[in-house]
Amino acid sequence: MNVIETRLPGIGVRREIVTGSGRRVGIVAQRDGDLDLIISKASDPDACVASIPLTPDEAATIGNLLGSRQLVAQLTEEHRDLPGVSTRQFLIERGSPFDGRPLADTRMRSRSGASLVAVLRSGQVQASPTPDFTLTAGDLLVVVGTSEGLDAAADILRNG
Amino acid sequence: MHTTALTLIELGAILLFLGILGRLAGRIGLSPIPLYLIGGLFFGQGGFIELEGVLEFSEVASEIGVVLLLLLLGLEYTAKELVTGLRQSWLAGIVDFVLNFTPGALVAVILGWGPVAALVMGGVTYISSSGIAAKVIGDLGRLGNRETPTVLAILVFEDLAMAVYLPVLTAVLAGLSFAGGLGTVGISLLVVTLVLIVALRWGNVVSAIVDSSDREVFLLTLIGAALLVAGLASALQVSAAVGAFLLGIAISGATAENAARILEPLRDLFAAIFFVVFGLSTDPSSIPPVLGVALLLALATSVTKIATGWWAAGRQGIGRMGRARAGTALVARGEFSIVIAGLAVTSGAVLPELAALATTYVLLMAVLGPVLARLAEPAMELTDRLPKRRPRAVPANGST
C-alpha cells in the first residue's frame, strides 16, 4: 500500500492513502500531538468532507477496529468446520476493571471457557498473548468460543 | 496620584479591555488583531481617553511583543522545512512578491510619499498573516486538503523573505548610505545562511543548550537568549525581529515544541500590547482621509493574493475549487504588516499618514481575509452554476 506523506510546515505531517474508489483517507499528525482523521470529498478530491480530531486513544481504537477485520475473518474461516464456535471482539475501555492489569487476572478461560487468541494494540497484532501480558485501555481483544462462553467473557471484561 | 499607581490602573484597564475585545472576537470567529488596533485607537491621542502613565512601559513591552512574535514564528518551522519549502515554492514565492509588493509601493509613490514609504507600504501589502491563515485553515477543516501544502509553502517563503526584507528596511529607515546599507544586507544574508546551516547540522546542540526540564529555568534561558540575540542583531542594524526569528529556527524538535507551548501565552500578551501601542500612535481623525485609498488598496491586494494562490495551486494540479480556496486563504494581512509599519513609524522616517493607512488597511484585511476564505466555496459554486445556462442552449456532443 502506498502511503503518501506530505509535510505541512508549521503544522505537522499528513499521511494518506488513495483508495480504490479514488478517495483520500489519512491522518494529519499535528506537532502538538493532535491527530485528525481526514476523508476527501467525492465531488472535490482536493477538499475534505471531514477532518475529525482524535485523541491518541481514539485513534488507536479505530486502528484496531480496522485492523481486526482481517484477523476476525480469518479466524471465522478457520472455525467454519466447528459448529457453535465463533469469534468476537471486545474493547478494553478506559475505566475497565482490567485496564493496566495482567491478562492472567481475568481468568477468562477457566471462568467462561472462551479463549483469547489475539490482542490488537495500535493496529499491531499480538498473537497468543501470555498471561503476564498487561492490558490497557484501547486494546481490542479477539476471543474465540461458544456463544454462551463469549457472553460470559463479555461480562467478565465489563464487570471484572 | 502616584505615578506607579496610575500606570498600574491604566495598564490594568487596557488589558481588561483587550480581554473583553478578545472574547468578542472569539465569539464572532474573528482574528482579535483588528479589535486590538481599534482598542489602541480608542485610548490613544485624539481618542476618547488619553493615557500617559503607561506609555513608557508599553513601548518596551511592544518591542518584546515583536521579538516574541518572530521568535515563535521561527519555532514553528524547522530549518529543513524552510529549505525544502524554499526549493519547492520559490517561483510561487516570487510571483507572490511581485504581485503583492507592487500595489502598496505604487500607492505610496502615487501619494508622493517617496521611495522609503514605497518600500514600507510594499512590505505591508506583500506579507500575508500566517497567524490568521493557519487559523482559518485549521478552523475550516482544511488540514487534509490538497491545496493546503501550497498555501503553507507560500507562507513559509514569505516568512523567510521577511528575514531578508526587515534588515533592508531597517538599514533604509536608519538612513544608511547605499554602501552602508549594502553592508548591512550582506551581514544579514550571511547570518541567515549561517543560522540555517547551524540549525540544519547542529540544531540539536542549540536546542540542548537552551533546553531544561525546569520550566522556570527554561523560560528564563529562552527569553534571555531571545532578547540578547534580538538586541545584538539590532545593534548590528540587522533588525531585532530577524535575530529572534533566526534563534527560533535554530531551536528544533521537542525543545521547540516545549518552547512554543510556554511562550505562547506571553507572546499573546505582549503582542496584544504591541498592537495597542501601534493603535495608540495613530490619531483616529487621520483615518477618514485615507479610508478611500485603503479600501482601493484592500480590493486590489485581495485580487492579487487570490491570483497568486490560484496560480500556485493550479501549478500543483489542483482543481478550480481548491485554487479558489488557496487564493482566499492568503488574503488576510495582519501582525507582520503592523510590525513593518511599526518599525517605519517609530523610526520617524515616514509620514504619520502612513501609520493611518497601514492601520486602516490591516483593519480591513484582517476582517476581509477570513470572510473571503469562508465564502470561497459558496461563491465558486454560484459562478459554476451561472455560466452553464448559456452553453446548454447550444447542445454539445454529449459532453458536459
Side-chain angles (χ1 to χ4, degrees):
Chain A
M1 196 75 231
N2 190 15
V3 178
I4 306 161
E5 190 171 296
T6 314
R7 301 199 69 81
L8 303 175
I11 293 175
V13 185
R14 183 171 80 209
R15 295 188 184 87
E16 64 194 350
I17 57 165
V18 178
T19 65
S21 55
R23 303 284 287 271
R24 293 183 299 124
V25 180
I27 291 281
V28 176
Q30 296 191 40
R31 282 273 181 76
D32 49 15
D34 289 351
L35 290 169
D36 283 290
L37 176 69
I38 55 149
I39 300 159
S40 73
K41 255 185 199 167
S43 57
D44 177 5
D46 298 328
C48 288
V49 70
S51 179
I52 305 160
L54 295 176
T55 65
D57 276 358
E58 290 160 356
T61 306
I62 290 195
N64 289 343
L65 289 174
L66 291 169
S68 67
R69 267 285 277 134
Q70 239 178 335
L71 183 70
V72 172
Q74 198 181 327
L75 286 167
T76 310
E77 175 67 22
E78 280 170 17
H79 300 138
R80 203 177 41 181
D81 304 331
L82 298 171
V85 173
S86 55
T87 308
R88 217 184 282 171
Q89 306 160 62
F90 300 109
L91 184 69
I92 301 289
E93 287 177 55
R94 191 162 285 279
S96 150
F98 297 108
D99 179 5
R101 283 171 61 190
L103 183 56
D105 285 7
T106 63
R107 295 189 293 118
M108 191 194 287
R109 186 163 336 189
S110 53
R111 288 166 70 191
S112 69
S115 47
L116 175 65
V117 292
V119 175
L120 284 120
R121 179 179 291 173
S122 314
Q124 301 282 327
V125 180
Q126 173 76 44
S128 312
T130 51
D132 59 347
F133 183 89
T134 309
L135 298 170
T136 57
D139 284 352
L140 194 69
L141 276 49
V142 179
V143 183
V144 173
T146 61
S147 160
E148 299 81 49
L150 290 171
D151 288 345
D155 187 55
I156 292 168
L157 288 173
R158 198 176 307 124
N159 304 318
Chain B
M1 210 188 295
H2 195 272
T3 45
T4 314
L6 185 67
T7 306
L8 285 178
I9 290 170
E10 287 185 359
L11 192 63
I14 292 179
L15 292 183
L16 210 59
F17 185 61
L18 291 185
I20 296 167
L21 287 178
R23 184 175 298 209
L24 194 71
R27 185 80 41 95
I28 49 178
L30 265 183
S31 154
I33 295 170
L35 291 181
Y36 293 161
L37 286 172
I38 291 174
L41 289 173
F42 189 80
F43 285 119
Q45 56 177 127
F48 296 97
I49 308 161
E50 295 222 10
L51 297 177
E52 274 162 29
V54 288
L55 275 181
E56 223 166 282
F57 168 79
S58 45
E59 264 157 30
V60 177
S62 89
E63 284 290 317
I64 297 175
V66 174
V67 167
L68 288 180
L69 212 56
L70 271 289
L71 176 67
L72 263 117
L73 184 69
L75 286 172
E76 294 266 297
Y77 303 119
T78 63
K80 212 173 162 192
E81 281 175 346
L82 284 175
V83 172
T84 48
L86 198 61
R87 207 175 295 147
Q88 283 164 2
S89 66
W90 63 273
L91 192 55
I94 287 169
V95 168
D96 177 35
F97 180 80
V98 171
L99 279 182
N100 295 291
F101 189 90
T102 317
L106 262 182
V107 162
V109 169
I110 291 167
L111 290 174
W113 289 354
V116 178
L119 183 68
V120 175
M121 280 310 297
V124 168
T125 57
Y126 161 56
I127 188 143
S128 301
S129 164
S130 37
I132 298 178
K135 191 171 182 318
V136 163
I137 289 171
D139 286 351
L140 297 182
R142 294 185 184 166
L143 288 179
N145 285 17
R146 261 197 200 134
E147 79 278 0
T148 296
T150 310
V151 174
L152 294 176
I154 290 176
L155 292 176
V156 172
F157 186 94
E158 286 183 357
D159 295 338
L160 210 55
M162 284 278 278
V164 180
Y165 170 82
L166 283 179
V168 174
L169 185 72
T170 12
V172 170
L173 289 173
L176 292 180
S177 66
F178 183 71
L182 217 58
T184 310
V185 174
I187 291 174
S188 63
L189 278 179
L190 204 71
V191 172
V192 171
T193 321
L194 221 76
V195 168
L196 280 180
I197 292 170
V198 168
L200 277 174
R201 284 263 179 91
W202 301 288
N204 47 350
V205 179
V206 179
S207 307
I209 294 170
V210 184
D211 206 359
S212 165
S213 53
D214 187 297
R215 263 177 68 96
E216 191 177 328
V217 174
F218 188 37
L219 191 64
L220 290 173
T221 318
L222 207 59
I223 295 189
L227 293 181
L228 193 68
V229 169
L232 287 175
S234 178
L236 286 172
Q237 305 272 8
V238 173
S239 149
V242 171
F245 177 60
L246 293 176
L247 178 69
I249 290 170
I251 299 171
S252 61
T255 314
E257 278 165 41
N258 290 335
R261 207 167 299 134
I262 60 169
L263 284 180
E264 217 167 21
L266 275 175
R267 187 243 351 233
D268 292 344
L269 175 65
F270 284 105
I273 294 177
F274 165 72
F275 291 121
V276 171
V277 168
F278 189 78
L280 282 173
S281 64
T282 313
D283 185 346
S285 63
S286 65
I287 286 183
V290 294
L291 193 59
V293 180
L295 273 171
L296 268 178
L297 200 57
L299 196 70
T301 55
S302 296
V303 172
T304 51
K305 272 288 176 190
I306 293 173
T308 305
W310 182 276
W311 180 81
R315 265 168 45 93
Q316 305 295 322
I318 285 154
R320 286 162 44 85
M321 213 58 138
R323 297 170 85 171
R325 282 193 301 266
T328 48
L330 289 166
V331 168
R333 315 295 206 280
E335 60 275 28
F336 300 116
S337 300
I338 294 295
V339 167
I340 293 168
L343 276 174
V345 172
T346 47
S347 77
V350 293
L351 296 167
E353 281 93 338
L354 190 142
L357 180 59
T359 312
T360 320
Y361 174 74
V362 170
L363 281 176
L364 290 170
M365 297 309 272
V367 176
L368 195 62
V371 171
L372 280 180
R374 234 163 267 248
L375 287 180
E377 289 188 2
M380 284 299 286
E381 275 162 18
L382 205 68
T383 54
D384 275 355
R385 234 172 290 151
L386 287 177
K388 263 184 195 159
R389 283 187 200 144
R390 235 175 282 153
R392 212 162 272 176
V394 187
N397 300 335
S399 65
T400 46

